Amino acid sequence: MDLSQGVPIQIHLETFVTQGEDNETHVFDEPGTLVQMGNALYIRYQEVDEDAGTSMPVTMKLREDGDVQLSRGSSNGDTQLKLFFANEKRVLTCYRTPYGIIPVETVTPRIDVRMTTEPVAGEVYIEYQLFANNQHLGDYRLRLQFNA
């Protein structure tokens, strides 16, 4: 299957957030697109918040070396978060908000990416910790499943 032209996929995303004593779970089922550009695969979709009446563009870049880059928001919008996940590495990045740029860091103890091409389907599982100004903001787990 030629992924360079983009393939429509269905996405099921679960995120688990632990911040201190608080635990949250978020679940999204959205249509998306899987595209191959060069040696990387891109999963693109809109994260819809029906309660707030908003949607946020999301892109997940699956690199050939196993690292994953997650972008939420657009480059020309008020808010954009780019997170980089590299297995067992601490990575510095920036979170652009209407109030300025906040440096954030991810530490990724576990990252698993599995995919098949016939049929097109896969799963991305990431466990990470988020830090800002050397403060531990929380522990996160992300499981994204997709199929054509």
Side-chain angles (χ1 to χ4, degrees):
M1 179 173 282
D2 182 12
L3 297 176
S4 65
Q5 299 302 310
V7 174
I9 57 174
Q10 184 61 38
I11 292 168
H12 177 75
L13 173 66
E14 300 172 354
T15 59
F16 306 91
V17 180
T18 302
Q19 294 175 319
E21 299 297 316
D22 296 330
N23 293 305
E24 292 181 23
T25 301
H26 304 276
V27 178
F28 298 94
D29 288 295
E30 304 292 347
T33 307
L34 178 68
V35 179
Q36 182 166 7
M37 294 187 342
N39 292 330
L41 288 170
Y42 292 82
I43 297 170
R44 294 188 176 115
Y45 63 96
Q46 292 284 326
E47 193 173 280
V48 177
D49 183 342
E50 292 179 4
D51 295 337
T54 61
S55 70
M56 177 83 60
V58 178
T59 301
M60 186 176 283
K61 178 181 179 181
L62 310 176
R63 296 179 12 168
E64 186 177 43
D65 61 7
D67 292 352
V68 175
Q69 176 182 333
L70 177 68
S71 301
R72 291 183 78 244
S74 62
S75 57
N76 58 359
D78 287 345
T79 304
Q80 185 180 37
L81 174 63
K82 286 190 174 187
L83 298 177
F84 295 90
F85 306 107
N87 204 20
E88 298 184 13
K89 293 183 183 166
R90 188 176 191 116
V91 182
L92 177 65
T93 187
C94 293
Y95 180 23
R96 189 177 70 237
T97 73
Y99 311 104
I101 295 177
I102 301 169
V104 295
E105 293 178 283
T106 57
V107 176
T108 309
R110 182 174 170 196
I111 186 169
D112 295 314
V113 177
R114 294 190 308 256
M115 186 177 150
T116 60
T117 54
E118 297 295 334
V120 172
E123 179 177 359
V124 179
Y125 179 80
I126 303 171
E127 292 178 3
Y128 65 100
Q129 299 167 332
L130 193 61
F131 294 85
N133 297 322
N134 290 320
Q135 298 283 350
H136 179 241
L137 300 179
D139 297 317
Y140 298 78
R141 288 182 295 136
L142 174 154
R143 173 176 278 127
L144 184 142
Q145 298 166 307
F146 65 89
N147 56 55

